[in-house]
Each structure stands twice: as C-alpha cells, then as structure tokens.
Amino acid sequence: MIKYKHHLLVCLTLSLSILSGCQTIQKDDLLVLHADAVKAYKEKNWEQAEKLYLILAEQVNKDSEPYFRLGNIYARTSKPDLAIQYYREALVRDPKNAKIWHNIGIVSLRGTTNLYIEMQRHIPVQDPIFNKSVETAEKLMEILGMNKKTNSKE
C-alpha cells in the first residue's frame, strides 16, 4: 500500500510538473518513472508504457532506450511509421546498436511485404508485374518467417 501511494504521488508530481511547464524531473522520480515504464512494457500494457516512455524520451533525451522501446511499442501496436521514426531517433543516439538496426529492418521489410501483397489486389493478373510481385512477396515472407499465400486472385 505504501509503494502504491508512493507511485501515485510520483505520478501526480510528474503530471503537475508537466502541466506547470516544468521541464525537468528529479533523478529519483525519473528512476521510479523508468521502473514503471519497464513494468508496463513487460506486462504488454502498451498504452501506459507509451505514455511513460514518451516522458522519459523528453527528459532523458540523450538515451536511446526510451526511443528504442517506443519503436518496439509502435511496431507491436501496428504503427510502423511511428516505429521507424522512433527507431531512427534511437539510432541517432546509439548508431552501433545492432538491435535497433535489426528492428528497423524488420519493420521496413514487413511494410514492403504488405505493399507487394496490396499491389496484387489492385493490378490485373495479366500485368507482367503481377507474377513478379507474387514472387517478391513470397521471398520477403520467407525471410520474415511468414507462411501465407500472397496471390489473392487465385
């Protein structure tokens, strides 16, 4: 109960400082905020984790972790454009981080794969590009470990 009250007090303090225009949060409060963000992230409470990591990204601007986590949150909640945006922000802060490069590559490949699948829904089967789009989509899906038939016109 005491821990809950402490977290509630920290959340209220953070909210008040944000609303009052105060730009910095005390180090101890940041540590609690980070712990809460990690907990929400591990519990897959994406909405809460997003809110907390957005505050952390603003407050600890030089750290790549909040941006990386936000990229992951957006990737997992089907917001690929935001995922790529935040992965790029993470890369600015940590360009040698292989996980960030990997994740931005995966999100980009998924987007490209979806583009080729969507293309097949719109172009005629007789178009010479149609078969090429099926082939490309299948290869991309193989790379991503997806097992889905792409030719929606069969």
Side-chain angles (χ1 to χ4, degrees):
M1 184 69 165
I2 293 172
K3 188 176 183 180
Y4 172 76
K5 286 183 181 180
H6 176 70
H7 284 281
L8 183 59
L9 181 62
V10 169
C11 287
L12 288 173
T13 303
L14 290 172
S15 298
L16 287 174
S17 56
I18 290 168
L19 290 173
S20 68
C22 178
Q23 295 299 319
T24 58
I25 298 174
Q26 299 297 322
K27 184 178 179 180
D28 289 344
D29 293 339
L30 281 174
L31 293 173
V32 172
L33 181 67
H34 182 264
D36 289 346
V38 169
K39 182 177 186 281
Y41 185 89
K42 286 183 179 178
E43 292 174 353
K44 298 180 181 178
N45 182 347
W46 304 129
E47 187 177 331
Q48 181 67 12
E50 176 190 17
K51 288 177 186 176
L52 297 172
Y53 277 116
L54 283 169
I55 296 168
L56 285 169
E58 182 181 311
Q59 294 295 316
V60 191
N61 192 284
K62 294 182 181 182
D63 186 12
S64 67
E65 189 218 2
Y67 295 96
F68 176 68
R69 295 291 181 199
L70 284 163
N72 288 346
I73 290 165
Y74 294 130
R76 291 176 178 153
T77 57
S78 301
K79 299 174 186 167
D81 292 338
L82 282 172
I84 289 171
Q85 175 186 331
Y86 279 93
Y87 286 140
R88 289 192 186 283
E89 288 293 332
L91 284 172
V92 166
R93 289 151 182 83
D94 189 5
K96 294 183 180 184
N97 187 316
K99 285 183 180 181
I100 300 169
W101 284 108
H102 173 78
N103 287 11
I104 198 171
I106 293 296
V107 171
S108 297
L109 279 174
R110 285 180 185 157
T112 302
T113 304
N114 289 334
L115 181 127
Y116 276 96
I117 292 169
E118 182 70 17
M119 179 194 315
Q120 294 164 35
R121 292 186 185 119
H122 299 283
I123 64 173
V125 177
Q126 302 80 8
D127 191 306
I129 299 296
F130 184 85
N131 288 335
K132 185 74 171 162
S133 72
V134 171
E135 181 183 319
T136 303
E138 287 174 352
K139 287 179 181 176
L140 287 168
M141 290 180 7
E142 184 180 327
I143 290 169
L144 291 168
M146 301 167 71
N147 297 321
K148 202 174 183 185
K149 190 88 174 142
T150 63
N151 187 342
S152 61
K153 295 194 179 184
E154 284 188 339

